[in-house]
Amino acid sequence: MGRGLAILLAAMVIGTAQAQDEGTVPRGKASFRTATLVPADGPQLKSAAALVLDYESGTELYAKNSTEVMPIASITKLMTAMVVLDAGLDLEAPLTIAAADVDTLKHTGSRLRVGTVLPRRELLRLALMASENRAAAALARTYPGGTEAFVRAMNVKARIIGMAHTEFVEPTGLDARNVSTAQDLAKLVEAAAGYALIREFTTTPRAQIEVPGTRRTMAFSNSNRLVAHKDWEIEVSKTGFIREAGRCLVMQARVAGRQVIIVLLDSWGKLTRIGDANRIKRWMESSARLPAVSG
């Protein structure tokens, strides 16, 4: 067994002792019951797959192609963050962006130049808030055992939290072979909500990052504009996009007095995932036919 995988399994066994240092709270409320409502008068969503799950009861309020296995793009980074935090690595340790962290698959750009040194905590923030691919790659590369061990740990974690139809091949989401279903991603969001840093970093609207040893600062904005919107109460958020996956968005939020998990996959327009989230919100706020929360 590789050292990285051993660290993950030990963290799963020890659990709360290490996790509480970073604000991890066992949730386990959403039981994903079989009761499912796909109302004919539900919102007309543009996303190819969607799920709205009542967090407290586990009842599906809305589902569309929720069991279809699809590429998930940067939604991947929620799992990347959990694996980093589960390992109990030093969040203040300086990490250097290396040439190995540069995207040679999609050739995406980055404001993190090769040679940039930032604490692991800041790279985690940028991977979650601004979906920085080089940050995610560096977090995996510097994991005990390297990226290969990190990806194994991602897949072990996926099985532990019940993501039976999910596969990860790398930590950024740039590879279309990172696949899941809307139902599995609801479990990912639920698990991610148990980490204080993930809740904080995914809902931070913007941040100024100081580069140690320089006078340079970098301003980053959240890839989900809804986190700064006064009409939304969002606890966890992550966006994703590659051509094969389309525009994706997952959130845990309070809508119409309910704590819900929203999963939107393969939205075809640049603003469609935001539009679909708002359509869900309006539908929930105006619908008198949603099932009562049964706890």
Side-chain angles (χ1 to χ4, degrees), residues 78-278:
L78 287 178
M79 180 61 77
T80 297
M82 288 196 293
V83 170
V84 170
L85 294 174
D86 284 346
L89 303 176
D90 182 2
L91 295 181
E92 307 311 322
L95 304 183
T96 302
I97 299 297
D101 303 322
V102 175
D103 169 26
T104 58
L105 180 63
K106 302 292 186 183
H107 304 287
T108 55
S110 173
R111 296 169 60 201
L112 297 179
R113 305 169 186 169
V114 172
T116 298
V117 179
L118 287 172
R120 181 177 275 113
R121 179 186 299 271
E122 294 298 354
L123 292 182
L124 184 63
R125 183 196 308 271
L126 294 179
L128 290 171
M129 182 190 77
S131 210
E132 258 290 347
N133 293 311
R134 290 184 188 179
L139 290 169
R141 177 178 52 80
T142 57
Y143 184 82
T147 301
E148 184 177 346
F150 190 90
V151 173
R152 286 199 300 270
M154 294 173 74
N155 286 299
V156 169
K157 178 77 169 182
R159 298 301 175 263
I160 288 172
I161 63 178
M163 300 176 71
H165 306 288
T166 298
E167 187 70 26
F168 296 104
V169 301
E170 52 83 37
T172 69
L174 290 167
D175 195 312
R177 291 176 296 168
N178 283 7
V179 296
S180 189
T181 68
Q183 287 188 349
D184 271 11
L185 291 181
K187 297 174 183 179
L188 176 64
V189 173
E190 180 195 5
Y195 297 75
L197 280 183
I198 295 178
R199 296 196 304 272
E200 176 188 344
F201 291 167
T202 64
T203 57
T204 300
R206 59 192 62 84
Q208 289 279 349
I209 305 298
E210 295 184 3
V211 182
T214 75
R215 296 180 179 179
R216 191 162 60 100
T217 63
M218 296 181 287
F220 290 87
S221 297
N222 199 299
S223 56
N224 179 10
R225 65 177 64 182
L226 293 178
V227 300
H229 202 290
K230 61 182 178 60
D231 291 338
W232 278 89
E233 298 179 53
I234 299 172
E235 186 167 325
V236 173
S237 166
K238 189 69 196 78
T239 63
F241 172 73
I242 55 173
R243 180 181 55 81
E244 297 91 336
R247 305 277 173 177
C248 304
L249 174 64
V250 298
M251 296 191 295
Q252 182 167 304
R254 181 162 293 279
V255 181
R258 295 172 182 255
Q259 196 78 354
V260 295
I261 294 173
I262 297 172
V263 179
L264 299 168
L265 300 178
D266 193 12
S267 294
W268 53 265
K270 186 174 182 179
L271 300 177
T272 305
R273 61 189 172 188
I274 300 298
D276 276 356
N278 283 320

Side-chain angles (χ1 to χ4, degrees), residues 2-47:
R3 186 183 172 202
L5 185 56
I7 285 175
L8 172 67
L9 292 175
M12 292 296 98
V13 173
I14 298 172
T16 56
Q18 289 182 327
Q20 286 176 354
D21 288 341
E22 290 304 328
T24 308
V25 179
R27 294 297 187 97
K29 291 183 179 179
S31 57
F32 298 90
R33 297 174 183 174
T34 56
T36 301
L37 177 67
V38 187
D41 61 346
Q44 300 302 304
L45 303 184
K46 306 300 183 183
S47 301

